[in-house]
Amino acid sequence: MSAIVRHYGLPLSEAAAFGLASALTFAYIPFIKFYGLPLVSYRMPPRAIMRGLQKPLGFKMHAETFRTPEAGAARLNELLAAGRLVGLQVSVFWLPFMPPDFRFHFNAHNLLVYGRDEASGDYLLSDPVLEAPVRCAPADLAKARFARGALAPKGLLYYPAGVPREPDWKQALPAAVKKTARIMLRTPIPLVGVRGIERLARAIERLPVATDPDRTRQFIGHIVRMQEEIGTGGGGFRYMYAAFLEEAAPLAGRPALADLGAELVEIGDRWREFALATARMIRARDPLDPARLAALLREQAGREKAFFMALDKAGR
Amino acid sequence: MDVADVPQEGNATHVGQHRRVYARGSDGRLGLVASRGWEVEEIVTLQATKAFDDLAEAARARGRAGSAAPLEFHMYRARMDEALLAQAVGLWRWRVHRHLRPEVFARLSPALRARYAAALGIDVACLETVD
Protein backbone atom coordinates (compact mmCIF):
# COMPACT_ATOMS: atom_id res chain seq x y z
CA MET A 1 0.00 0.00 0.00
CA SER A 2 2.71 2.47 0.96
CA ALA A 3 4.58 1.56 -2.22
CA ILE A 4 1.71 2.90 -4.33
CA VAL A 5 1.76 6.17 -2.43
CA ARG A 6 5.53 6.42 -2.69
CA HIS A 7 5.31 5.81 -6.42
CA TYR A 8 3.25 8.97 -6.72
CA GLY A 9 5.92 11.01 -5.00
CA LEU A 10 4.98 11.01 -1.32
CA PRO A 11 7.65 9.49 0.90
CA LEU A 12 5.68 7.40 3.36
CA SER A 13 7.07 4.44 5.25
CA GLU A 14 5.17 1.18 5.42
CA ALA A 15 4.68 1.68 9.16
CA ALA A 16 3.36 5.22 8.65
CA ALA A 17 0.87 4.07 6.02
CA PHE A 18 -0.20 1.23 8.32
CA GLY A 19 -0.78 3.54 11.26
CA LEU A 20 -2.35 6.35 9.29
CA ALA A 21 -4.90 3.90 7.87
CA SER A 22 -5.71 2.67 11.41
CA ALA A 23 -4.92 -0.82 10.16
CA LEU A 24 -4.05 -2.41 13.50
CA THR A 25 -6.76 -4.52 15.06
CA PHE A 26 -7.58 -7.94 16.36
CA ALA A 27 -10.40 -10.04 14.97
CA TYR A 28 -11.54 -13.57 15.67
CA ILE A 29 -14.33 -14.53 13.28
CA PRO A 30 -15.43 -18.12 13.94
CA PHE A 31 -17.86 -18.28 11.00
CA ILE A 32 -15.36 -17.40 8.26
CA LYS A 33 -13.28 -20.53 7.91
CA PHE A 34 -10.07 -21.56 6.25
CA TYR A 35 -9.72 -25.33 6.23
CA GLY A 36 -12.23 -25.55 9.05
CA LEU A 37 -10.28 -23.09 11.18
CA PRO A 38 -11.59 -19.65 12.12
CA LEU A 39 -10.38 -16.37 10.69
CA VAL A 40 -7.93 -14.77 13.11
CA SER A 41 -6.48 -11.48 12.01
CA TYR A 42 -4.20 -8.90 13.56
CA ARG A 43 -4.85 -6.23 10.96
CA MET A 44 -7.74 -4.81 8.96
CA PRO A 45 -8.49 -6.31 5.54
CA PRO A 46 -6.57 -4.72 2.64
CA ARG A 47 -9.61 -2.90 1.32
CA ALA A 48 -10.17 -1.18 4.66
CA ILE A 49 -6.52 -0.14 4.77
CA MET A 50 -6.91 1.35 1.30
CA ARG A 51 -9.97 3.29 2.30
CA GLY A 52 -8.33 4.44 5.52
CA LEU A 53 -5.54 6.12 3.58
CA GLN A 54 -7.82 8.04 1.26
CA LYS A 55 -8.96 10.71 3.66
CA PRO A 56 -5.68 11.73 5.32
CA LEU A 57 -3.79 11.73 2.01
CA GLY A 58 -6.55 13.41 0.02
CA PHE A 59 -6.88 11.02 -2.90
CA LYS A 60 -9.24 8.32 -4.07
CA MET A 61 -8.36 4.70 -4.59
CA HIS A 62 -10.27 3.16 -7.48
CA ALA A 63 -11.16 -0.49 -6.95
CA GLU A 64 -12.64 -2.74 -9.62
CA THR A 65 -13.75 -6.34 -9.66
CA PHE A 66 -14.65 -8.43 -12.69
CA ARG A 67 -16.99 -11.19 -13.68
CA THR A 68 -14.62 -12.95 -16.04
CA PRO A 69 -10.84 -13.45 -16.12
CA GLU A 70 -10.80 -12.05 -19.69
CA ALA A 71 -12.31 -8.73 -18.62
CA GLY A 72 -9.94 -8.59 -15.65
CA ALA A 73 -6.87 -9.18 -17.79
CA ALA A 74 -7.97 -6.66 -20.42
CA ARG A 75 -8.46 -3.92 -17.83
CA LEU A 76 -5.14 -4.69 -16.15
CA ASN A 77 -3.32 -4.47 -19.49
CA GLU A 78 -5.03 -1.19 -20.28
CA LEU A 79 -3.97 0.34 -16.95
CA LEU A 80 -0.41 -0.92 -17.30
CA ALA A 81 -0.22 0.46 -20.85
CA ALA A 82 -1.23 3.82 -19.39
CA GLY A 83 1.81 3.56 -17.11
CA ARG A 84 -0.06 2.97 -13.89
CA LEU A 85 1.00 0.98 -10.87
CA VAL A 86 -1.77 -1.45 -10.02
CA GLY A 87 -2.46 -3.35 -6.80
CA LEU A 88 -4.05 -6.80 -7.01
CA GLN A 89 -5.73 -9.12 -4.59
CA VAL A 90 -4.78 -12.74 -5.29
CA SER A 91 -4.77 -16.24 -3.91
CA VAL A 92 -1.32 -17.29 -2.75
CA PHE A 93 -1.72 -20.85 -3.97
CA TRP A 94 -1.60 -20.16 -7.69
CA LEU A 95 1.50 -17.97 -7.68
CA PRO A 96 4.30 -20.15 -9.04
CA PHE A 97 7.04 -17.94 -7.61
CA MET A 98 5.93 -18.41 -3.99
CA PRO A 99 7.94 -20.77 -1.78
CA PRO A 100 5.99 -24.07 -1.89
CA ASP A 101 5.46 -24.14 1.86
CA PHE A 102 3.58 -20.83 1.70
CA ARG A 103 1.21 -21.92 -1.03
CA PHE A 104 -2.14 -22.30 0.66
CA HIS A 105 -5.55 -21.23 -0.56
CA PHE A 106 -5.35 -17.91 1.21
CA ASN A 107 -7.22 -15.35 -0.86
CA ALA A 108 -6.41 -12.07 0.87
CA HIS A 109 -2.89 -11.66 -0.45
CA ASN A 110 -1.90 -8.41 -2.14
CA LEU A 111 0.82 -7.56 -4.59
CA LEU A 112 1.77 -4.81 -7.00
CA VAL A 113 2.04 -4.99 -10.77
CA TYR A 114 4.34 -2.37 -12.24
CA GLY A 115 4.71 -3.47 -15.84
CA ARG A 116 4.47 -6.05 -18.53
CA ASP A 117 7.10 -7.69 -20.69
CA GLU A 118 5.88 -7.08 -24.25
CA ALA A 119 7.74 -10.02 -25.77
CA SER A 120 6.56 -12.83 -23.46
CA GLY A 121 3.45 -11.19 -22.02
CA ASP A 122 4.72 -11.84 -18.47
CA TYR A 123 3.70 -9.43 -15.76
CA LEU A 124 6.36 -7.76 -13.64
CA LEU A 125 5.38 -7.70 -10.01
CA SER A 126 6.56 -6.90 -6.59
CA ASP A 127 5.36 -9.16 -3.80
CA PRO A 128 5.68 -8.16 -0.15
CA VAL A 129 6.76 -11.69 0.82
CA LEU A 130 9.73 -11.69 -1.56
CA GLU A 131 12.77 -9.49 -1.53
CA ALA A 132 13.21 -9.07 -5.28
CA PRO A 133 10.66 -8.30 -8.03
CA VAL A 134 9.35 -11.33 -9.92
CA ARG A 135 7.63 -12.23 -13.19
CA CYS A 136 4.43 -14.14 -13.59
CA ALA A 137 2.83 -15.70 -16.67
CA PRO A 138 -0.64 -14.32 -17.55
CA ALA A 139 -2.38 -17.70 -17.14
CA ASP A 140 -1.05 -18.16 -13.60
CA LEU A 141 -1.92 -14.63 -12.60
CA ALA A 142 -5.45 -15.04 -13.97
CA LYS A 143 -5.92 -18.17 -11.88
CA ALA A 144 -4.65 -16.40 -8.77
CA ARG A 145 -6.89 -13.38 -9.34
CA PHE A 146 -10.01 -15.40 -9.96
CA ALA A 147 -9.61 -18.09 -7.31
CA ARG A 148 -12.84 -18.93 -5.52
CA GLY A 149 -13.51 -19.63 -1.88
CA ALA A 150 -13.59 -17.52 1.29
CA LEU A 151 -12.70 -13.87 0.63
CA ALA A 152 -12.57 -14.56 -3.13
CA PRO A 153 -10.71 -11.72 -4.85
CA LYS A 154 -12.94 -11.64 -7.97
CA GLY A 155 -10.04 -10.09 -9.83
CA LEU A 156 -9.90 -7.06 -7.54
CA LEU A 157 -7.48 -4.44 -8.75
CA TYR A 158 -6.91 -0.95 -7.38
CA TYR A 159 -5.05 2.17 -8.35
CA PRO A 160 -5.04 5.73 -7.09
CA ALA A 161 -6.97 8.49 -8.85
CA GLY A 162 -5.49 11.86 -8.06
CA VAL A 163 -2.17 12.45 -6.37
CA PRO A 164 -1.71 11.74 -2.67
CA ARG A 165 -0.45 14.79 -0.83
CA GLU A 166 1.24 15.21 2.50
CA PRO A 167 -1.39 15.25 5.25
CA ASP A 168 -1.75 17.75 8.05
CA TRP A 169 0.09 15.56 10.54
CA LYS A 170 -1.09 17.45 13.61
CA GLN A 171 -4.68 16.65 12.71
CA ALA A 172 -4.42 13.31 10.87
CA LEU A 173 -2.20 11.44 13.34
CA PRO A 174 -4.31 11.94 16.49
CA ALA A 175 -7.42 11.07 14.47
CA ALA A 176 -5.85 7.82 13.20
CA VAL A 177 -4.65 6.87 16.68
CA LYS A 178 -8.06 7.54 18.21
CA LYS A 179 -9.74 5.43 15.54
CA THR A 180 -7.47 2.46 16.30
CA ALA A 181 -8.19 2.79 20.02
CA ARG A 182 -11.89 2.93 19.26
CA ILE A 183 -11.76 -0.22 17.13
CA MET A 184 -9.82 -2.10 19.80
CA LEU A 185 -11.96 -0.99 22.74
CA ARG A 186 -15.43 -0.12 21.53
CA THR A 187 -16.37 -2.15 18.45
CA PRO A 188 -19.95 -3.21 19.11
CA ILE A 189 -19.38 -6.86 18.14
CA PRO A 190 -17.45 -8.90 20.72
CA LEU A 191 -15.28 -10.58 18.08
CA VAL A 192 -13.18 -7.53 17.26
CA GLY A 193 -10.62 -5.80 19.45
CA VAL A 194 -9.75 -6.68 23.01
CA ARG A 195 -12.98 -8.61 23.42
CA GLY A 196 -12.03 -10.69 20.38
CA ILE A 197 -8.84 -11.77 22.14
CA GLU A 198 -10.91 -12.82 25.14
CA ARG A 199 -13.30 -14.74 22.88
CA LEU A 200 -10.40 -16.54 21.27
CA ALA A 201 -9.07 -17.45 24.73
CA ARG A 202 -12.44 -18.96 25.52
CA ALA A 203 -12.48 -20.91 22.23
CA ILE A 204 -9.03 -22.31 23.02
CA GLU A 205 -10.18 -23.51 26.43
CA ARG A 206 -12.99 -25.43 24.79
CA LEU A 207 -10.70 -27.33 22.42
CA PRO A 208 -10.99 -31.11 22.60
CA VAL A 209 -7.55 -31.84 24.10
CA ALA A 210 -8.41 -35.30 25.35
CA THR A 211 -10.57 -36.53 22.48
CA ASP A 212 -8.88 -34.86 19.50
CA PRO A 213 -5.39 -33.55 20.32
CA ASP A 214 -4.62 -33.21 16.59
CA ARG A 215 -7.39 -30.73 16.04
CA THR A 216 -6.21 -28.83 19.13
CA ARG A 217 -2.69 -28.59 17.74
CA GLN A 218 -3.98 -27.47 14.32
CA PHE A 219 -6.09 -24.76 15.93
CA ILE A 220 -3.35 -23.24 18.06
CA GLY A 221 -0.82 -23.54 15.23
CA HIS A 222 -3.21 -21.69 12.96
CA ILE A 223 -3.34 -18.73 15.36
CA VAL A 224 0.44 -18.47 15.38
CA ARG A 225 0.57 -18.71 11.58
CA MET A 226 -1.82 -15.80 11.31
CA GLN A 227 0.25 -13.87 13.83
CA GLU A 228 3.78 -14.46 12.59
CA GLU A 229 3.64 -15.56 8.96
CA ILE A 230 1.28 -12.94 7.58
CA GLY A 231 2.67 -9.54 6.79
CA THR A 232 5.83 -7.75 7.78
CA GLY A 233 7.43 -7.38 11.13
CA GLY A 234 6.08 -10.18 13.30
CA GLY A 235 4.33 -9.94 16.62
CA GLY A 236 0.93 -9.66 14.96
CA PHE A 237 1.75 -6.21 13.48
CA ARG A 238 2.29 -4.79 16.99
CA TYR A 239 5.91 -3.96 16.18
CA MET A 240 4.92 -2.19 12.99
CA TYR A 241 2.40 -0.07 14.82
CA ALA A 242 5.02 0.72 17.47
CA ALA A 243 7.33 1.95 14.70
CA PHE A 244 4.49 4.13 13.45
CA LEU A 245 3.95 5.63 16.91
CA GLU A 246 7.64 6.41 17.15
CA GLU A 247 7.56 8.17 13.77
CA ALA A 248 4.33 9.93 14.64
CA ALA A 249 5.43 11.43 17.97
CA PRO A 250 7.58 14.28 16.60
CA LEU A 251 5.32 14.90 13.58
CA ALA A 252 2.23 15.29 15.72
CA GLY A 253 4.15 17.10 18.45
CA ARG A 254 3.03 14.56 21.02
CA PRO A 255 5.98 12.92 22.74
CA ALA A 256 3.61 10.65 24.70
CA LEU A 257 3.15 8.59 21.53
CA ALA A 258 6.82 7.55 21.52
CA ASP A 259 6.53 6.23 25.08
CA LEU A 260 3.43 4.31 24.07
CA GLY A 261 5.39 2.89 21.13
CA ALA A 262 7.96 1.51 23.58
CA GLU A 263 5.14 -0.03 25.59
CA LEU A 264 3.69 -1.65 22.49
CA VAL A 265 7.05 -3.24 21.69
CA GLU A 266 6.77 -4.96 25.08
CA ILE A 267 3.30 -6.19 24.14
CA GLY A 268 4.68 -7.45 20.82
CA ASP A 269 7.36 -9.36 22.74
CA ARG A 270 4.61 -10.99 24.78
CA TRP A 271 2.85 -12.06 21.54
CA ARG A 272 6.10 -13.65 20.43
CA GLU A 273 6.27 -15.49 23.76
CA PHE A 274 2.75 -16.75 23.18
CA ALA A 275 3.87 -18.01 19.75
CA LEU A 276 6.88 -19.72 21.28
CA ALA A 277 4.80 -21.42 23.99
CA THR A 278 2.38 -22.64 21.31
CA ALA A 279 5.11 -23.97 19.03
CA ARG A 280 6.67 -25.87 21.92
CA MET A 281 3.33 -27.55 22.59
CA ILE A 282 2.94 -28.47 18.92
CA ARG A 283 6.35 -30.11 18.89
CA ALA A 284 5.50 -31.82 22.20
CA ARG A 285 8.43 -30.20 23.97
CA ASP A 286 5.89 -29.00 26.52
CA PRO A 287 2.67 -30.85 27.41
CA LEU A 288 -0.33 -29.77 25.33
CA ASP A 289 -2.16 -27.39 27.65
CA PRO A 290 -4.62 -25.01 25.97
CA ALA A 291 -5.65 -23.60 29.36
CA ARG A 292 -2.17 -22.15 29.73
CA LEU A 293 -2.36 -20.55 26.27
CA ALA A 294 -5.77 -19.14 27.08
CA ALA A 295 -4.35 -17.62 30.25
CA LEU A 296 -1.55 -16.02 28.20
CA LEU A 297 -4.12 -14.61 25.79
CA ARG A 298 -6.18 -13.19 28.64
CA GLU A 299 -3.08 -11.47 29.97
CA GLN A 300 -2.53 -10.04 26.50
CA ALA A 301 -6.12 -8.83 26.39
CA GLY A 302 -5.59 -7.06 29.72
CA ARG A 303 -2.35 -5.46 28.55
CA GLU A 304 -3.84 -4.32 25.25
CA LYS A 305 -6.88 -2.91 27.00
CA ALA A 306 -4.71 -0.76 29.26
CA PHE A 307 -2.51 0.19 26.32
CA PHE A 308 -5.30 1.31 24.01
CA MET A 309 -6.99 3.26 26.78
CA ALA A 310 -3.73 5.17 27.24
CA LEU A 311 -3.49 5.57 23.46
CA ASP A 312 -7.01 6.94 23.31
CA LYS A 313 -6.06 9.51 25.92
CA ALA A 314 -2.87 10.44 24.08
CA GLY A 315 -4.88 11.02 20.88
CA ARG A 316 -7.26 13.49 22.49
CA MET B 1 12.74 -6.70 20.49
CA ASP B 2 16.35 -5.56 20.12
CA VAL B 3 18.36 -6.15 16.97
CA ALA B 4 20.46 -8.73 18.84
CA ASP B 5 17.29 -10.69 19.67
CA VAL B 6 16.08 -11.01 16.07
CA PRO B 7 16.11 -14.75 15.41
CA GLN B 8 18.55 -15.90 12.71
CA GLU B 9 17.84 -19.59 12.98
CA GLY B 10 17.59 -20.38 9.29
CA ASN B 11 14.14 -21.51 8.22
CA ALA B 12 13.79 -24.25 5.64
CA THR B 13 10.35 -23.02 4.54
CA HIS B 14 11.67 -19.62 3.46
CA VAL B 15 14.03 -21.09 0.82
CA GLY B 16 16.62 -18.37 1.24
CA GLN B 17 14.17 -15.48 1.50
CA HIS B 18 14.65 -13.14 4.41
CA ARG B 19 11.81 -11.95 6.56
CA ARG B 20 11.74 -8.39 7.73
CA VAL B 21 11.19 -7.82 11.42
CA TYR B 22 11.00 -4.58 13.36
CA ALA B 23 13.63 -4.35 16.08
CA ARG B 24 15.23 -1.67 18.21
CA GLY B 25 18.69 -0.74 16.98
CA SER B 26 21.63 0.62 18.95
CA ASP B 27 20.32 4.17 18.37
CA GLY B 28 17.17 3.25 20.28
CA ARG B 29 14.90 3.54 17.25
CA LEU B 30 12.75 0.84 15.69
CA GLY B 31 13.71 -0.25 12.20
CA LEU B 32 13.39 -3.18 9.85
CA VAL B 33 15.97 -5.92 10.23
CA ALA B 34 16.36 -8.97 7.97
CA SER B 35 15.75 -12.24 9.74
CA ARG B 36 16.89 -15.61 8.44
CA GLY B 37 13.95 -17.20 10.12
CA TRP B 38 12.55 -18.25 13.46
CA GLU B 39 12.02 -21.82 14.48
CA VAL B 40 8.51 -21.04 15.70
CA GLU B 41 7.45 -19.97 12.19
CA GLU B 42 9.01 -23.05 10.72
CA ILE B 43 7.19 -25.32 13.18
CA VAL B 44 3.74 -23.87 12.48
CA THR B 45 4.23 -23.72 8.69
CA LEU B 46 5.49 -27.27 8.48
CA GLN B 47 2.62 -28.36 10.70
CA ALA B 48 0.17 -27.07 8.10
CA THR B 49 1.98 -28.47 5.06
CA LYS B 50 2.54 -31.82 6.76
CA ALA B 51 -1.15 -32.16 7.58
CA PHE B 52 -1.93 -32.02 3.84
CA ASP B 53 0.99 -34.23 2.86
CA ASP B 54 -0.23 -36.89 5.30
CA LEU B 55 -3.78 -36.67 4.01
CA ALA B 56 -2.57 -36.92 0.41
CA GLU B 57 -0.39 -39.94 1.15
CA ALA B 58 -3.25 -41.72 2.90
CA ALA B 59 -5.58 -40.89 0.00
CA ARG B 60 -3.00 -42.17 -2.48
CA ALA B 61 -2.77 -45.47 -0.64
CA ARG B 62 -6.56 -45.72 -0.62
CA GLY B 63 -6.64 -44.83 -4.32
CA ARG B 64 -4.18 -47.60 -5.15
CA ALA B 65 -6.26 -50.04 -3.12
CA GLY B 66 -9.35 -48.91 -4.99
CA SER B 67 -11.24 -47.73 -1.92
CA ALA B 68 -11.11 -44.03 -2.83
CA ALA B 69 -11.29 -42.04 -6.05
CA PRO B 70 -8.04 -40.50 -7.31
CA LEU B 71 -9.83 -37.17 -6.99
CA GLU B 72 -9.35 -37.35 -3.21
CA PHE B 73 -5.58 -37.58 -3.58
CA HIS B 74 -5.47 -34.66 -6.02
CA MET B 75 -7.71 -32.59 -3.78
CA TYR B 76 -5.35 -32.91 -0.83
CA ARG B 77 -2.30 -32.48 -3.00
CA ALA B 78 -3.72 -29.13 -4.14
CA ARG B 79 -4.09 -28.31 -0.42
CA MET B 80 -7.84 -28.25 -0.65
CA ASP B 81 -10.56 -29.84 1.43
CA GLU B 82 -14.07 -30.78 0.31
CA ALA B 83 -15.52 -27.35 1.06
CA LEU B 84 -12.81 -25.54 -0.89
CA LEU B 85 -12.90 -27.91 -3.84
CA ALA B 86 -16.67 -27.53 -4.02
CA GLN B 87 -16.31 -23.75 -4.21
CA ALA B 88 -13.48 -23.99 -6.72
CA VAL B 89 -15.45 -26.17 -9.16
CA GLY B 90 -18.77 -24.52 -8.39
CA LEU B 91 -20.62 -27.62 -7.20
CA TRP B 92 -22.53 -28.38 -4.06
CA ARG B 93 -20.43 -29.92 -1.38
CA TRP B 94 -22.46 -33.11 -1.15
CA ARG B 95 -21.84 -33.73 -4.83
CA VAL B 96 -18.09 -33.37 -4.38
CA HIS B 97 -18.30 -35.64 -1.37
CA ARG B 98 -20.07 -38.21 -3.52
CA HIS B 99 -17.55 -37.89 -6.35
CA LEU B 100 -14.83 -39.00 -3.95
CA ARG B 101 -16.34 -42.50 -4.00
CA PRO B 102 -14.50 -44.60 -6.60
CA GLU B 103 -17.60 -46.08 -8.26
CA VAL B 104 -19.20 -42.64 -8.63
CA PHE B 105 -15.99 -41.09 -9.89
CA ALA B 106 -15.69 -43.82 -12.54
CA ARG B 107 -19.05 -42.76 -14.00
CA LEU B 108 -18.24 -39.04 -14.00
CA SER B 109 -18.90 -37.25 -17.29
CA PRO B 110 -15.91 -35.90 -19.26
CA ALA B 111 -17.25 -32.37 -18.78
CA LEU B 112 -17.20 -32.67 -15.01
CA ARG B 113 -13.79 -34.27 -15.09
CA ALA B 114 -12.52 -31.32 -17.10
CA ARG B 115 -13.96 -28.92 -14.53
CA TYR B 116 -12.26 -30.75 -11.68
CA ALA B 117 -8.98 -30.83 -13.58
CA ALA B 118 -9.17 -27.09 -14.28
CA ALA B 119 -10.01 -26.27 -10.67
CA LEU B 120 -7.07 -28.35 -9.46
CA GLY B 121 -4.69 -26.98 -12.09
CA ILE B 122 -3.83 -30.38 -13.61
CA ASP B 123 -4.82 -32.18 -16.84
CA VAL B 124 -7.61 -34.66 -17.12
CA ALA B 125 -5.34 -37.65 -17.74
CA CYS B 126 -3.47 -36.85 -14.55
CA LEU B 127 -6.72 -36.62 -12.59
CA GLU B 128 -7.56 -40.23 -13.33
CA THR B 129 -4.55 -41.78 -11.66
CA VAL B 130 -2.82 -41.35 -8.31
CA ASP B 131 0.72 -41.68 -9.64
Side-chain angles (χ1 to χ4, degrees):
Chain A
M1 225 57 72
S2 64
I4 292 195
V5 176
R6 273 201 298 275
H7 178 77
Y8 290 90
L10 183 66
L12 191 70
S13 73
E14 194 179 3
F18 185 80
L20 209 52
S22 304
L24 188 78
T25 186
F26 182 90
Y28 159 64
I29 320 270
F31 47 84
I32 302 183
K33 300 220 164 173
F34 298 94
Y35 301 116
L37 296 166
L39 174 80
V40 176
S41 179
Y42 292 78
R43 61 150 158 81
M44 302 294 269
R47 282 193 121 169
I49 300 180
M50 233 155 59
R51 267 187 239 121
L53 276 181
Q54 292 183 149
K55 203 169 143 196
L57 301 184
F59 73 110
K60 283 272 176 227
M61 200 68 107
H62 265 305
E64 295 171 24
T65 55
F66 305 89
R67 285 249 181 113
T68 65
E70 292 74 32
R75 182 72 178 129
L76 177 61
N77 294 343
E78 191 184 321
L79 287 167
L80 289 175
R84 284 191 178 271
L85 196 66
V86 184
L88 295 180
Q89 185 187 338
V90 290
S91 157
V92 190
F93 185 81
W94 300 106
L95 300 173
F97 51 79
M98 277 277 171
D101 286 328
F102 284 3
R103 291 177 63 184
F104 284 92
H105 295 273
F106 176 70
N107 278 335
H109 184 70
N110 284 263
L111 47 77
L112 277 180
V113 192
Y114 62 90
R116 192 165 185 220
D117 182 354
E118 286 304 327
S120 60
D122 284 1
Y123 292 100
L124 309 174
L125 11 129
S126 146
D127 189 299
V129 172
L130 307 176
E131 288 162 280
V134 281
R135 307 164 143 259
C136 184
D140 293 323
L141 193 65
K143 234 173 155 37
R145 289 178 69 198
F146 289 88
R148 299 200 226 173
L151 313 180
K154 299 191 179 107
L156 175 71
L157 59 76
Y158 46 89
Y159 56 92
V163 180
R165 56 174 169 70
E166 187 157 355
D168 172 9
W169 296 110
K170 289 215 154 48
Q171 189 270 322
L173 289 172
V177 159
K178 269 189 294 185
K179 186 173 169 200
T180 299
R182 193 179 70 224
I183 293 167
M184 286 301 292
L185 298 172
R186 293 191 287 275
T187 300
I189 29 176
L191 306 174
V192 177
V194 171
R195 289 197 292 165
I197 306 179
E198 285 162 1
R199 264 299 162 104
L200 180 62
R202 217 187 309 163
I204 290 183
E205 277 169 346
R206 288 192 194 139
L207 287 172
V209 205
T211 50
D212 193 352
D214 248 14
R215 155 108 186 140
T216 305
R217 276 190 283 269
Q218 289 293 341
F219 191 101
I220 57 179
H222 172 74
I223 301 170
V224 174
R225 269 199 302 284
M226 295 300 125
Q227 180 185 316
E228 296 297 334
E229 291 282 39
I230 307 257
T232 311
F237 292 96
R238 268 57 188 163
Y239 292 129
M240 195 195 279
Y241 199 77
F244 158 72
L245 289 176
E246 228 177 64
E247 270 183 53
L251 287 169
R254 295 185 188 220
L257 292 182
D259 300 337
L260 284 167
E263 230 176 275
L264 191 57
V265 170
E266 294 288 313
I267 293 179
D269 289 346
R270 297 285 100 77
W271 280 113
R272 301 273 281 191
E273 280 167 23
F274 168 77
L276 183 64
T278 309
R280 290 184 62 88
M281 286 186 197
I282 292 170
R283 275 287 162 93
R285 286 178 200 158
D286 289 333
L288 186 61
D289 181 7
R292 210 183 105 217
L293 295 180
L296 286 177
L297 274 183
R298 289 225 165 81
E299 278 172 33
Q300 280 301 79
R303 281 195 195 98
E304 295 217 338
K305 190 167 183 183
F307 171 81
F308 284 104
M309 274 159 63
L311 188 69
D312 198 22
K313 216 173 250 169
R316 291 235 175 93
Chain B
M1 191 160 43
D2 292 330
V3 167
D5 300 332
V6 172
Q8 304 288 357
E9 289 162 4
N11 183 335
T13 62
H14 288 181
V15 283
Q17 293 286 337
H18 289 264
R19 263 187 99 66
R20 292 175 307 144
V21 180
Y22 284 92
R24 197 173 289 289
S26 49
D27 58 350
R29 291 193 64 80
L30 282 172
L32 280 167
V33 183
S35 161
R36 288 182 49 237
W38 189 27
E39 201 194 358
V40 167
E41 293 165 354
E42 190 180 51
I43 289 172
V44 293
T45 306
L46 290 181
Q47 179 199 23
T49 52
K50 188 174 174 298
F52 276 101
D53 292 347
D54 291 350
L55 286 168
E57 269 321 303
R60 171 179 276 182
R62 277 197 300 279
R64 288 217 176 101
S67 58
L71 178 60
E72 189 185 2
F73 164 68
H74 290 290
M75 171 176 87
Y76 288 132
R77 210 181 50 161
R79 294 189 181 155
M80 292 190 183
D81 55 15
E82 280 178 29
L84 241 160
L85 180 60
Q87 282 175 317
V89 283
L91 294 176
W92 283 6
R93 191 173 160 180
W94 64 264
R95 289 192 69 192
V96 172
H97 183 74
R98 211 172 141 265
H99 294 161
L100 296 181
R101 282 163 47 193
E103 70 279 12
V104 180
F105 182 78
R107 291 198 306 264
L108 221 54
S109 73
L112 262 181
R113 276 171 204 241
R115 272 169 76 183
Y116 273 118
L120 293 165
I122 52 180
D123 22 283
V124 182
C126 181
L127 180 71
E128 282 153 18
T129 111
V130 290
D131 298 305

